[in-house]
């Protein structure tokens, strides 16, 4: 539950004229929140920007709320814990056309807010801060752990550019600006630290106009407690979120690779080829079948996850998926699966007949397994196809 402090009557009267809302999530930031609010207020005043500063407090017990209010912020109490929950509550209470989010640890210089506002006024939907030299930013000594600066952040930013075509060099930067219209369109979900990453990935998927502003990262000003960020825990959470957000790289591409390896295995093992003195036989067929079954299941997962993501508005509509569903109707999928089962059954029947001809005694496994293994694989793939057709059909039904 989010408890929002009601704006004053004067603030409500200005709702149509507030241009910028600066939202700072806060959890026991008494050491720094006052300085952050003071800089934010000064930035708005000096640049003659009609704005407000909101501190979204997530249950502080060190008096952060009073310090923030004393410096001129409107404090919003957010009962639901989490970085994302605090920001969502603060943004919901804000009045501005443009929203600037940053941390309350004094690592971001809020006097740089006008640079973000200028880009937003130019028509960009999202303006991302960049602390890294690759995007023109600057990291002061001691402001960022070396592992984050030279490994984690660049690697995840590269993945964001590669997998999602996000035009950013510093995906972890928590200082950014965006329009209220974009924020409402994104329908943000993540309650925790993935909130910032979710915003970048969703904005990229929805073809938002994005820009990057170089900023300076200062050492964390907090003394009473260490940073909330945990290197390996939060790094894994980011990678997990990336994989969950991209069915292509999580399921589709690995699945296609496994199917390809399985087909290659069948091509050399089914005729019993010898290559460089190596005889590829029934054992190779078994391994190739394993690859094909796992790969086929992975491709099915990719289609199902993408369909679900669209129904939940996590990703936009995909014309390629629409074309697939137009051609691969449930009836056709069931028919295709039934044909595979039938073909597999024929191969198994041939193997059974060989066993009958041997009076149900010992068989030449080198010969018989070339019928049994492909037959078993086809039956399994056919059953998977039929079940997948119904499952994806149910997901696609709620898309309409």
């Amino acid at each position: 539950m989010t408890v929002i402090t009601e704006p004053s009557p004067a603030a409500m009267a200005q709702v149509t004229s507030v241009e910028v809302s600066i939202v700072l999530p806060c959890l026991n930031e008494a050491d720094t929140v006052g300085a952050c609010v003071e800089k934010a207020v000064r930035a708005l005043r000096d640049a003659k920007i009609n704005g407000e500063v909101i501190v979204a407090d997530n249950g502080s017990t060190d008096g952060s709320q009073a310090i923030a209010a004393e410096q001129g912020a409107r404090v919003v109490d957010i009962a639901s814990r989490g970085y994302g929950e605090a920001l969502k509550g603060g943004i919901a209470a804000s009045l501005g056309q443009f929203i600037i989010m940053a941390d309350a640890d004094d690592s971001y210089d809020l006097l740089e807010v006008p640079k973000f506002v200028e880009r937003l006024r130019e028509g960009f939907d999202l303006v991302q801060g960049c602390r890294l030299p690759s995007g023109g930013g600057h990291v002061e000594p001691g402001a960022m752990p070396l592992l984050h600066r030279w490994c984690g952040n660049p690697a995840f930013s590269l993945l964001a550019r590669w997998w999602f075509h996000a035009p950013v060099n510093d995906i972890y930067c928590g200082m950014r600006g965006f329009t209220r219209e974009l924020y409402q369109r994104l329908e943000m979900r993540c309650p925790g630290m993935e909130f910032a990453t979710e915003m970048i990935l969703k904005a990229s998927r929805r073809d938002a106009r994005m820009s990057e502003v170089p900023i300076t990262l200062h050492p964390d000003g907090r003394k009473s407690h260490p940073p909330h960020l945990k290197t390996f825990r939060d790094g894994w959470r980011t990678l997990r979120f990336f994989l969950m957000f991209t069915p292509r790289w999580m399921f589709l591409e690995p699945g296609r690779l496994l199917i390809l390896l399985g087909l290659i295995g069948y091509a050399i093992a089914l005729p019993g080829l010898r290559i460089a003195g190596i005889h590829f036989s029934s054992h190779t067929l078994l391994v190739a079948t394993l690859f094909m079954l796992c790969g086929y299941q992975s491709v099915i997962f990719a289609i199902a996850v993408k369909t679900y993501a669209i129904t939940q508005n996590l990703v936009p509509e995909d014309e390629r998926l629409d074309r697939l569903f137009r051609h691969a109707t449930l009836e056709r999928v069931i028919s295709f699966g039934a044909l595979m089962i039938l073909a597999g059954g024929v191969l198994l029947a041939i193997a059974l007949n060989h066993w009958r001809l041997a009076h149900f005694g010992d068989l030449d496994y080198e010969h018989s397994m070339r019928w049994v293994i492909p037959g078993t694989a086809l039956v399994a793939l056919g059953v998977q196809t039929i079940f997948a057709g119904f499952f994806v059909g149910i997901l696609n039904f709620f898309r309409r």
Side-chain angles (χ1 to χ4, degrees):
M1 182 181 69
T2 300
V3 181
I4 299 176
T5 303
E6 289 295 328
S8 66
M12 291 300 294
Q14 293 178 344
V15 66
T16 58
S17 60
V18 172
E19 182 183 22
V20 177
S21 295
I22 301 174
V23 179
L24 306 175
C26 176
L27 176 60
N28 293 325
E29 312 288 9
D31 293 335
T32 54
V33 69
C36 291
V37 173
E38 187 275 328
K39 289 178 182 177
V41 171
R42 181 158 35 116
L44 295 174
R45 183 182 66 244
D46 292 350
K48 296 181 171 54
I49 298 172
N50 188 6
E52 61 176 352
V53 179
I54 293 177
V55 169
D57 189 75
N58 215 193
S60 295
T61 57
D62 63 351
S64 295
Q65 303 93 323
I67 296 172
E70 183 180 347
Q71 293 296 326
R74 177 156 59 93
V75 177
V76 178
D77 295 321
I78 312 299
S80 300
R81 298 297 291 268
Y83 174 77
E85 290 295 328
L87 281 168
K88 284 189 285 185
I91 293 168
S94 67
L95 307 173
Q97 171 191 357
F98 302 137
I99 298 159
I100 309 292
M101 58 177 263
D103 296 336
D105 60 6
D106 206 23
S107 60
Y108 299 119
D109 185 358
L110 289 163
L111 294 175
E112 296 186 282
V113 161
K115 295 195 298 187
F116 291 82
V117 177
E118 181 181 351
R119 292 287 180 90
L120 291 169
R121 286 172 175 172
E122 290 174 6
F124 288 100
D125 300 308
L126 189 151
V127 182
Q128 172 75 356
C130 181
R131 306 160 295 178
L132 302 181
S134 57
H138 175 68
V139 178
E140 290 192 347
M144 183 184 295
L146 293 179
L147 188 60
H148 297 188
R149 180 175 180 178
W150 300 110
C151 184
N153 204 332
F156 283 121
S157 298
L158 177 62
L159 283 179
R161 293 194 299 273
W162 180 21
W163 287 359
F164 304 96
H165 307 292
V168 297
N169 292 286
D170 184 8
I171 193 168
Y172 272 130
C173 183
M175 187 173 184
R176 65 186 60 163
F178 45 91
T179 66
R180 183 173 299 277
E181 184 276 332
L182 174 67
Y183 178 78
Q184 293 172 343
R185 188 153 52 96
L186 295 183
E187 297 185 11
M188 300 293 293
R189 301 290 183 86
C190 290
M193 55 84 64
E194 296 91 347
F195 179 92
T197 306
E198 178 191 8
M199 180 179 290
I200 296 293
L201 302 189
K202 279 188 171 181
S204 299
R205 286 282 178 83
R206 285 164 172 75
D207 298 321
R209 290 194 64 201
M210 300 172 64
S211 180
E212 205 167 44
V213 169
I215 63 172
T216 297
L217 181 70
H218 302 268
D220 188 329
R222 293 172 293 195
K223 306 299 181 184
S224 58
H225 65 83
H228 300 298
L229 183 67
K230 304 297 182 183
T231 299
F232 292 103
R233 180 202 66 182
D234 293 333
W236 160 244
R237 287 175 64 177
T238 301
L239 178 59
R240 180 184 65 184
F241 184 76
F242 271 39
L243 292 172
M244 292 172 62
F245 213 78
T246 174
R248 176 184 175 185
W249 295 105
M250 179 62 187
F251 299 113
L252 182 60
E253 296 302 336
R256 290 168 62 177
L257 176 61
L258 287 171
I259 290 173
L260 176 61
L261 292 175
L263 291 173
I264 293 173
Y266 264 73
I268 64 176
L270 202 57
L273 297 181
R274 290 182 181 272
I275 301 176
I278 302 173
H279 184 204
F280 294 94
S281 186
S282 56
H283 293 88
T284 305
L285 276 180
L286 280 172
V287 175
T289 298
L290 173 65
F291 285 167
M292 291 185 67
L293 289 173
C294 292
Y296 193 68
Q297 188 66 61
S298 187
V299 170
I300 290 172
F301 271 127
I303 297 171
V305 170
K306 186 65 177 285
T307 304
Y308 178 78
I310 292 174
T311 64
Q312 296 299 307
N313 202 30
L314 296 174
V315 298
E317 296 285 339
D318 191 326
E319 176 59 29
R320 294 168 298 179
L321 200 63
D322 291 336
R323 285 198 303 269
L324 174 64
F325 288 140
R326 282 197 298 268
H327 293 93
T329 63
L330 178 58
E331 293 74 20
R332 290 176 178 172
V333 169
I334 293 174
S335 299
F336 182 64
L339 285 174
M340 284 197 287
I341 293 173
L342 178 61
V346 170
L347 296 180
L348 291 175
I350 292 173
L352 182 61
N353 186 55
H354 288 165
W355 193 25
R356 181 186 66 81
L357 293 175
H359 305 290
F360 300 104
D362 294 336
L363 289 171
D364 178 4
Y365 285 101
E366 179 70 18
H367 175 73
S368 63
M369 293 302 280
R370 285 188 170 82
W371 297 98
V372 173
I373 294 174
T376 303
L378 280 170
V379 172
L381 290 171
V383 172
Q384 279 185 303
T385 299
I386 294 173
F387 287 168
F390 277 103
F391 179 63
V392 176
I394 291 171
L395 294 178
N396 193 42
F397 177 81
F398 292 103
R399 225 177 117 219
R400 300 167 183 168

